[in-house]
Amino acid sequence: MTVTVYSKPNCVQCTATKTYLTNKGIAFNTVDISQDIEAFDLVISKGFKSAPVVNAGEDWWAGFQPDLLDNIA
């Protein structure tokens, strides 16, 4: 399963999400939505208005969600 974290600079929840995934040994891709307009438009089109937005397979969610992150471990 591919895990992608759509994040932005200086985002505490983004950093917490990426650190959590790293500590759990889960590989992930990071996309900076402040630099990638297509990625920004994608997360907005999905109804998200805050970062991070995590995509894990068919699942999408926003914010630092340890319980959901554990489900993909």
Side-chain angles (χ1 to χ4, degrees), residues 15-28 64 69-70 73:
T15 301
T17 298
K18 293 184 282 186
T19 299
Y20 195 89
L21 289 168
T22 299
N23 290 343
K24 291 286 187 174
I26 300 169
F28 62 96
F64 176 56
L69 295 170
D70 283 341

Side-chain angles (χ1 to χ4, degrees), residues 10-61:
N10 302 316
C11 167
V12 174
Q13 289 193 37
C14 301
T15 301
T17 298
K18 293 184 282 186
T19 299
Y20 195 89
L21 289 168
T22 299
N23 290 343
K24 291 286 187 174
I26 300 169
F28 62 96
N29 301 312
T30 302
V31 179
D32 182 344
I33 59 174
S34 72
Q35 299 294 316
D36 186 331
I37 292 298
E38 289 179 16
F40 177 80
D41 289 343
L42 173 65
V43 298
I44 293 297
S45 75
K46 299 257 182 216
F48 298 107
K49 298 182 190 253
S50 63
V53 173
V54 178
N55 172 233
E58 299 292 318
D59 297 323
W60 290 81
W61 67 85

